């Protein structure tokens, strides 16, 4: 890390605070999510697609992943006001509807409260769609764990946490995104951060920021492919890859082998 003096010259990073979504939105989101979970349980194709990315049926249930199958093969549209969202008018003066596209439903839940619903659409742009009314808080899973793997996609975060009992994961959404206040505090208190963000030019720049903020952060790309989802398809064992980057203090408890603490 940098010396204290070097650090003092720079204005300190101020992470954002995100409020949880409103009550009515929570209620609707909970009903929608419970229904989409039932749809996923019946959808063998999507379940096997998830399994290929390191997310078993059991893990899908644990993290409440779902499948929005729509109605009669079409996306859902609902009155925005029914979800407690402010009315928006179209050019013709009619109220805009809330669009809930068909796709994989990826919720972010903290202490039973749904913070966000993201939908990964099977095709079309945008590929990932955040349901209006969601909070943009950083997804951090396994927050009680002592080490964390930083990844881009939320599905990768789920796969990481499911594969290695010693590490949590933070999903940044993009290489250049910064953690919010809650995630920043959890990461600050950790023993080890393994940064697996894609290391292109943007990634190299981002990595400098991570190293500046966290002394316990190491660059830790997957051995093959560009991200954990990719690596799993190439039959890389995520658990071994993560454990190899952890301090011995953590892996000894688990009976595994990790890197020595200097």
């Amino acid at each position: 890390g940098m010396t204290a003096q070097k650090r003092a010259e720079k204005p300190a990073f101020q992470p954002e605070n995100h409020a949880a979504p409103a009550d009515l939105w929570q209620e609707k989101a909970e009903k929608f999510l419970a229904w989409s979970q039932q749809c996923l349980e019946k959808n063998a194709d999507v379940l096997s697609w998830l399994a290929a990315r390191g997310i078993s049926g059991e893990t899908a249930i644990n993290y409440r992943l779902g499948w929005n199958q729509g109605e009669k093969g079409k996306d859902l549209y609902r009155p925005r006001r029914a979800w407690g969202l402010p009315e928006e008018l179209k050019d013709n003066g009619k109220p805009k509807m809330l669009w809930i596209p068909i796709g994989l439903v990826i919720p972010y839940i903290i202490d039973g409260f749904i913070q966000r619903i993201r939908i990964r659409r099977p095709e079309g742009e945008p590929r990932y769609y955040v349901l209006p009314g969601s909070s943009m808080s950083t997804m951090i899973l396994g927050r009680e764990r002592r080490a964390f793997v930083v990844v881009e996609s939320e599905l990768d975060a789920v796969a990481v946490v499911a594969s290695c009992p010693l590490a949590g994961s933070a999903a940044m959404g993009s290489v250049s995104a910064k953690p919010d206040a809650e995630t920043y505090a959890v990461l600050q208190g950790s023993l080890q951060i393994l940064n697996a963000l894609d290391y292109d030019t943007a990634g190299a720049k981002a990595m400098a920021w991570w190293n500046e903020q966290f002394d316990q952060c190491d660059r830790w790309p997957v051995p093959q492919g560009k991200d954990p989802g990719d690596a799993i398809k190439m039959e890389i064992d995520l658990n071994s890859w993560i454990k190899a980057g952890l301090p011995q203090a953590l892996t000894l408890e688990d009976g595994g082998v990790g890197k020595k603490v200097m």
Side-chain angles (χ1 to χ4, degrees), residues 7-149:
R7 196 171 271 166
E9 291 163 15
K10 287 191 62 176
F13 169 64
Q14 287 296 324
E16 279 184 69
N17 277 295
H18 295 286
D23 292 348
L24 180 56
W25 189 94
Q26 288 276 352
E27 195 183 302
K28 293 286 186 181
E30 177 57 51
K31 280 188 181 140
F32 168 70
L33 183 55
W35 170 77
S36 69
Q37 283 184 271
Q38 290 170 352
C39 299
L40 177 59
E41 279 174 36
K42 297 182 216 129
N43 194 320
D45 288 350
V46 180
L47 286 170
S48 67
W49 184 89
L50 284 168
R53 278 159 183 75
I55 298 172
S56 66
E58 187 188 355
T59 299
I61 290 170
N62 289 344
Y63 290 93
R64 298 198 64 192
L65 299 180
W67 176 256
N68 173 20
Q69 64 186 21
E71 283 167 334
K72 298 178 182 155
K74 294 212 167 32
D75 293 343
L76 304 177
Y77 287 91
R78 295 291 181 263
R80 285 175 56 90
R81 289 183 115 158
W83 282 66
L85 296 169
E87 192 140 280
E88 284 181 10
L89 299 179
K90 294 193 284 203
D91 295 343
N92 65 8
K94 289 203 170 108
K96 250 188 192 165
M97 297 290 270
L98 173 64
W99 176 44
I100 314 178
I102 288 171
L104 183 69
V105 180
I106 309 166
Y108 179 35
I109 300 169
I110 302 176
D111 298 330
F113 288 97
I114 301 173
Q115 304 295 311
R116 171 169 60 254
I117 286 189
R118 194 187 299 274
I119 298 178
R120 186 192 187 281
R121 301 168 67 212
E123 55 193 8
E125 292 296 323
R127 176 50 60 95
Y128 286 92
Y129 170 77
V130 173
L131 199 61
S134 294
S135 155
M136 288 320 290
S137 50
T138 311
M139 179 190 267
I140 185 162
L141 302 176
R143 65 183 59 216
E144 68 296 334
R145 299 180 185 184
R146 305 301 319 279
F148 291 89
V149 182

Side-chain angles (χ1 to χ4, degrees), residues 118-209:
R118 194 187 299 274
I119 298 178
R120 186 192 187 281
R121 301 168 67 212
E123 55 193 8
E125 292 296 323
R127 176 50 60 95
Y128 286 92
Y129 170 77
V130 173
L131 199 61
S134 294
S135 155
M136 288 320 290
S137 50
T138 311
M139 179 190 267
I140 185 162
L141 302 176
R143 65 183 59 216
E144 68 296 334
R145 299 180 185 184
R146 305 301 319 279
F148 291 89
V149 182
V150 177
V151 295
E152 197 166 329
S153 106
E154 294 179 334
L155 289 176
D156 281 351
V158 171
V160 160
V161 174
S163 71
C164 178
L166 296 176
S169 188
M172 301 312 303
S174 82
V175 168
S176 54
K178 309 278 189 276
D180 67 2
E182 197 170 342
T183 295
Y184 188 82
V186 173
L187 292 173
Q188 282 283 19
S190 71
L191 287 178
Q192 178 72 50
I193 299 168
L194 300 176
N195 192 315
L197 294 171
D198 194 3
Y199 204 69
D200 50 13
T201 319
K205 206 174 148 187
M207 194 61 223
W209 180 88

